[in-house]
Amino acid sequence: MTQEFVPITISGTGSYAPKRILTNAELAESVDTSDEWIFTRTGIRERRIATDGELTSDMAAEAGRRSLETAGIARGEIDLVIVATTTPDMPFPSTACLVQHKLGLNSLAAFDLQAACSGFIYALETAAGMVRSGAYRNALVIGAERLSTIVDWQDRSTCVLFGDGAGAVVISRNHDPKSGWLGAKLGCDGSAVELLHLPGGGCQIPASSDSVEERQHFIKMKGREVFKAAVRVMEQSALQILEHHGLTADQVGCVVPHQANLRIIETLASRLGIPMDRFFLNLDRYGNTSAASIPIALDEAVRSGRIKSGELVLMVAFGGGLTWGSSLIRWP
Ligand code: UT7
């Protein structure tokens, strides 16, 4: 017996960014850096920082609410919530459970997914599989981060890169044969953990006064090595997904890349042979928001009219793990 898969699509997008803007110039008052260094090495001008009481689940819920609004889907029709995050409100329950409650959803299932900056692409693929199976009607997929709580504000090599925010999409059954979700390719190299990780707070280094003293609860990164790996794995996964669907890079109308570093994106563009004007960029305003970066950019690209109906959209990410992934959708 052959399994019938339900066609699916993204039916709505939404995003949320905290109001507080932290500029490069402000950062230069607390660490030895400059607007010039940060901008020329990364393309980042400013990032958003959550206020004290503003939790990952609050940002996630607001982005989710906005995506439901654009999808025109009633809360009662959502039966799956996945939140991709590296900065959950707490180790458990999951941020997805908190979001489900904050949005008043009756979802059948809610869980978090952790794949660092690739988390949203992993979550999309997971939700896509569950909705395609026919067992779920609509899924709310959110990438949300409050990275300002895990950034070492004394470490100039990382603190200039990251910001807070959330983005969301609704995955639904598709009734238009000319558009919709094509698929994803995910990957991981678990031997590269030390390139980008947060050592403390798990069972290996539980929280203690020593772990706090040793600053083990902050992001540690080997920037140059991550840079090289990022370009390699993003190129590889983008080419894999295109090839799998019999498509070529010149057919892509819009690339929504993980917004980590403009130089990484420029190198990727040149390797793929896709002109930079087909890449949607907003990292100058948000920095790297990890799992939230692609869904925030996707939402802005859709709302600004940059992504048009019928256009082939490629999303491509990399992150700690190392993890990476690409997904393709013919925009509805
Ligand atoms: O989602 C994944 C997240 N991670 C990434 O995307 C990171 C990928 N890597 C990068 O984006 C880049 O490697 C960085 C932006 C992190 C660094 O840029 P780079 O061109 O690779 O610089 P570098 O690490 O080779 O450092 C060059 C110099 C060093 O000084 P010396 O040794 O040449 O004297 C650093 O100490 O720049 C210095 N430096 C800074 N100077 C001013 C490092 N950070 C700063 C800073 N301001 N913020």
Side-chain angles (χ1 to χ4, degrees), residues 303-321:
R303 283 176 199 266
S304 66
R306 172 61 192 77
I307 292 179
K308 297 187 178 57
S309 179
E311 204 161 58
L312 190 63
V313 177
L314 169 68
M315 294 174 259
V316 54
F318 74 96

PDB file of all heavy atoms in Angstrom, residues 303-321:
ATOM      1  N   ARG A 303       6.040  40.699   3.845  1.00  0.00           N
ATOM      2  CA  ARG A 303       5.257  41.920   4.089  1.00  0.00           C
ATOM      3  C   ARG A 303       5.714  43.090   3.222  1.00  0.00           C
ATOM      4  O   ARG A 303       4.917  43.956   2.873  1.00  0.00           O
ATOM      5  CB  ARG A 303       5.337  42.321   5.565  1.00  0.00           C
ATOM      6  CG  ARG A 303       4.434  41.452   6.415  1.00  0.00           C
ATOM      7  CD  ARG A 303       4.563  41.749   7.883  1.00  0.00           C
ATOM      8  NE  ARG A 303       4.043  40.626   8.646  1.00  0.00           N
ATOM      9  CZ  ARG A 303       2.800  40.547   9.087  1.00  0.00           C
ATOM     10  NH1 ARG A 303       1.960  41.518   8.886  1.00  0.00           N
ATOM     11  NH2 ARG A 303       2.419  39.472   9.757  1.00  0.00           N
ATOM     12  N   SER A 304       7.003  43.117   2.893  1.00  0.00           N
ATOM     13  CA  SER A 304       7.506  44.239   2.078  1.00  0.00           C
ATOM     14  C   SER A 304       7.268  44.005   0.589  1.00  0.00           C
ATOM     15  O   SER A 304       7.603  44.851  -0.229  1.00  0.00           O
ATOM     16  CB  SER A 304       9.000  44.431   2.337  1.00  0.00           C
ATOM     17  OG  SER A 304       9.699  43.289   1.862  1.00  0.00           O
ATOM     18  N   GLY A 305       6.730  42.835   0.249  1.00  0.00           N
ATOM     19  CA  GLY A 305       6.473  42.541  -1.167  1.00  0.00           C
ATOM     20  C   GLY A 305       7.703  42.017  -1.893  1.00  0.00           C
ATOM     21  O   GLY A 305       7.686  41.818  -3.106  1.00  0.00           O
ATOM     22  N   ARG A 306       8.786  41.771  -1.143  1.00  0.00           N
ATOM     23  CA  ARG A 306      10.010  41.262  -1.771  1.00  0.00           C
ATOM     24  C   ARG A 306       9.802  39.837  -2.301  1.00  0.00           C
ATOM     25  O   ARG A 306      10.361  39.461  -3.326  1.00  0.00           O
ATOM     26  CB  ARG A 306      11.158  41.316  -0.750  1.00  0.00           C
ATOM     27  CG  ARG A 306      12.446  40.655  -1.175  1.00  0.00           C
ATOM     28  CD  ARG A 306      13.022  41.326  -2.427  1.00  0.00           C
ATOM     29  NE  ARG A 306      14.105  40.540  -3.005  1.00  0.00           N
ATOM     30  CZ  ARG A 306      13.957  39.449  -3.735  1.00  0.00           C
ATOM     31  NH1 ARG A 306      12.749  38.983  -4.003  1.00  0.00           N
ATOM     32  NH2 ARG A 306      14.993  38.807  -4.218  1.00  0.00           N
ATOM     33  N   ILE A 307       9.010  39.046  -1.573  1.00  0.00           N
ATOM     34  CA  ILE A 307       8.681  37.696  -2.053  1.00  0.00           C
ATOM     35  C   ILE A 307       7.316  37.747  -2.735  1.00  0.00           C
ATOM     36  O   ILE A 307       6.341  38.214  -2.139  1.00  0.00           O
ATOM     37  CB  ILE A 307       8.653  36.677  -0.889  1.00  0.00           C
ATOM     38  CG1 ILE A 307      10.069  36.471  -0.344  1.00  0.00           C
ATOM     39  CG2 ILE A 307       8.055  35.348  -1.350  1.00  0.00           C
ATOM     40  CD1 ILE A 307      10.154  35.500   0.816  1.00  0.00           C
ATOM     41  N   LYS A 308       7.302  37.281  -3.978  1.00  0.00           N
ATOM     42  CA  LYS A 308       6.050  37.366  -4.741  1.00  0.00           C
ATOM     43  C   LYS A 308       5.468  35.972  -4.949  1.00  0.00           C
ATOM     44  O   LYS A 308       6.196  34.981  -4.940  1.00  0.00           O
ATOM     45  CB  LYS A 308       6.324  38.011  -6.092  1.00  0.00           C
ATOM     46  CG  LYS A 308       6.817  39.432  -5.902  1.00  0.00           C
ATOM     47  CD  LYS A 308       6.959  40.198  -7.194  1.00  0.00           C
ATOM     48  CE  LYS A 308       7.397  41.626  -6.906  1.00  0.00           C
ATOM     49  NZ  LYS A 308       8.654  41.717  -6.148  1.00  0.00           N
ATOM     50  N   SER A 309       4.176  35.954  -5.158  1.00  0.00           N
ATOM     51  CA  SER A 309       3.484  34.688  -5.388  1.00  0.00           C
ATOM     52  C   SER A 309       4.093  33.947  -6.594  1.00  0.00           C
ATOM     53  O   SER A 309       4.379  34.553  -7.619  1.00  0.00           O
ATOM     54  CB  SER A 309       2.005  35.004  -5.640  1.00  0.00           C
ATOM     55  OG  SER A 309       1.329  33.828  -5.882  1.00  0.00           O
ATOM     56  N   GLY A 310       4.310  32.664  -6.438  1.00  0.00           N
ATOM     57  CA  GLY A 310       4.860  31.848  -7.529  1.00  0.00           C
ATOM     58  C   GLY A 310       6.376  31.784  -7.535  1.00  0.00           C
ATOM     59  O   GLY A 310       6.972  30.984  -8.260  1.00  0.00           O
ATOM     60  N   GLU A 311       7.015  32.638  -6.698  1.00  0.00           N
ATOM     61  CA  GLU A 311       8.478  32.692  -6.668  1.00  0.00           C
ATOM     62  C   GLU A 311       9.043  31.513  -5.869  1.00  0.00           C
ATOM     63  O   GLU A 311       8.463  31.096  -4.870  1.00  0.00           O
ATOM     64  CB  GLU A 311       8.882  34.002  -5.988  1.00  0.00           C
ATOM     65  CG  GLU A 311      10.244  34.502  -6.354  1.00  0.00           C
ATOM     66  CD  GLU A 311      10.382  35.989  -6.021  1.00  0.00           C
ATOM     67  OE1 GLU A 311      10.199  36.356  -4.847  1.00  0.00           O
ATOM     68  OE2 GLU A 311      10.665  36.765  -6.929  1.00  0.00           O
ATOM     69  N   LEU A 312      10.203  31.023  -6.328  1.00  0.00           N
ATOM     70  CA  LEU A 312      10.881  29.945  -5.608  1.00  0.00           C
ATOM     71  C   LEU A 312      11.711  30.566  -4.486  1.00  0.00           C
ATOM     72  O   LEU A 312      12.581  31.405  -4.741  1.00  0.00           O
ATOM     73  CB  LEU A 312      11.778  29.184  -6.584  1.00  0.00           C
ATOM     74  CG  LEU A 312      12.396  27.886  -6.076  1.00  0.00           C
ATOM     75  CD1 LEU A 312      11.324  26.852  -5.751  1.00  0.00           C
ATOM     76  CD2 LEU A 312      13.360  27.323  -7.136  1.00  0.00           C
ATOM     77  N   VAL A 313      11.438  30.159  -3.242  1.00  0.00           N
ATOM     78  CA  VAL A 313      12.124  30.737  -2.081  1.00  0.00           C
ATOM     79  C   VAL A 313      12.988  29.656  -1.438  1.00  0.00           C
ATOM     80  O   VAL A 313      12.517  28.559  -1.131  1.00  0.00           O
ATOM     81  CB  VAL A 313      11.095  31.272  -1.049  1.00  0.00           C
ATOM     82  CG1 VAL A 313      11.795  31.805   0.191  1.00  0.00           C
ATOM     83  CG2 VAL A 313      10.226  32.351  -1.677  1.00  0.00           C
ATOM     84  N   LEU A 314      14.264  30.003  -1.261  1.00  0.00           N
ATOM     85  CA  LEU A 314      15.222  29.086  -0.622  1.00  0.00           C
ATOM     86  C   LEU A 314      15.597  29.655   0.739  1.00  0.00           C
ATOM     87  O   LEU A 314      16.037  30.801   0.835  1.00  0.00           O
ATOM     88  CB  LEU A 314      16.477  28.979  -1.508  1.00  0.00           C
ATOM     89  CG  LEU A 314      17.695  28.277  -0.918  1.00  0.00           C
ATOM     90  CD1 LEU A 314      17.451  26.789  -0.726  1.00  0.00           C
ATOM     91  CD2 LEU A 314      18.926  28.480  -1.818  1.00  0.00           C
ATOM     92  N   MET A 315      15.403  28.849   1.787  1.00  0.00           N
ATOM     93  CA  MET A 315      15.853  29.255   3.126  1.00  0.00           C
ATOM     94  C   MET A 315      17.045  28.389   3.483  1.00  0.00           C
ATOM     95  O   MET A 315      16.996  27.174   3.268  1.00  0.00           O
ATOM     96  CB  MET A 315      14.734  29.057   4.145  1.00  0.00           C
ATOM     97  CG  MET A 315      13.546  29.969   3.904  1.00  0.00           C
ATOM     98  SD  MET A 315      12.174  29.604   5.011  1.00  0.00           S
ATOM     99  CE  MET A 315      11.125  28.660   3.945  1.00  0.00           C
ATOM    100  N   VAL A 316      18.099  29.005   4.003  1.00  0.00           N
ATOM    101  CA  VAL A 316      19.301  28.218   4.285  1.00  0.00           C
ATOM    102  C   VAL A 316      19.957  28.697   5.583  1.00  0.00           C
ATOM    103  O   VAL A 316      20.139  29.887   5.795  1.00  0.00           O
ATOM    104  CB  VAL A 316      20.262  28.210   3.070  1.00  0.00           C
ATOM    105  CG1 VAL A 316      20.612  29.602   2.593  1.00  0.00           C
ATOM    106  CG2 VAL A 316      21.513  27.405   3.342  1.00  0.00           C
ATOM    107  N   ALA A 317      20.275  27.700   6.447  1.00  0.00           N
ATOM    108  CA  ALA A 317      20.770  28.037   7.786  1.00  0.00           C
ATOM    109  C   ALA A 317      21.958  27.174   8.186  1.00  0.00           C
ATOM    110  O   ALA A 317      22.177  26.096   7.625  1.00  0.00           O
ATOM    111  CB  ALA A 317      19.648  27.823   8.809  1.00  0.00           C
ATOM    112  N   PHE A 318      22.720  27.653   9.176  1.00  0.00           N
ATOM    113  CA  PHE A 318      23.750  26.844   9.841  1.00  0.00           C
ATOM    114  C   PHE A 318      23.794  27.308  11.294  1.00  0.00           C
ATOM    115  O   PHE A 318      23.353  28.398  11.625  1.00  0.00           O
ATOM    116  CB  PHE A 318      25.124  27.048   9.195  1.00  0.00           C
ATOM    117  CG  PHE A 318      25.727  28.379   9.548  1.00  0.00           C
ATOM    118  CD1 PHE A 318      26.627  28.504  10.599  1.00  0.00           C
ATOM    119  CD2 PHE A 318      25.345  29.520   8.876  1.00  0.00           C
ATOM    120  CE1 PHE A 318      27.137  29.751  10.955  1.00  0.00           C
ATOM    121  CE2 PHE A 318      25.852  30.765   9.219  1.00  0.00           C
ATOM    122  CZ  PHE A 318      26.756  30.876  10.259  1.00  0.00           C
ATOM    123  N   GLY A 319      24.353  26.448  12.152  1.00  0.00           N
ATOM    124  CA  GLY A 319      24.440  26.856  13.551  1.00  0.00           C
ATOM    125  C   GLY A 319      25.220  25.864  14.382  1.00  0.00           C
ATOM    126  O   GLY A 319      25.807  24.905  13.857  1.00  0.00           O
ATOM    127  N   GLY A 320      25.214  26.099  15.687  1.00  0.00           N
ATOM    128  CA  GLY A 320      25.941  25.246  16.620  1.00  0.00           C
ATOM    129  C   GLY A 320      25.515  23.797  16.453  1.00  0.00           C
ATOM    130  O   GLY A 320      24.361  23.497  16.164  1.00  0.00           O
ATOM    131  N   GLY A 321      26.464  22.926  16.634  1.00  0.00           N
ATOM    132  CA  GLY A 321      26.183  21.485  16.469  1.00  0.00           C
ATOM    133  C   GLY A 321      27.383  20.716  15.945  1.00  0.00           C
ATOM    134  O   GLY A 321      27.840  19.824  16.594  1.00  0.00           O
TER     135      GLY A 321
END
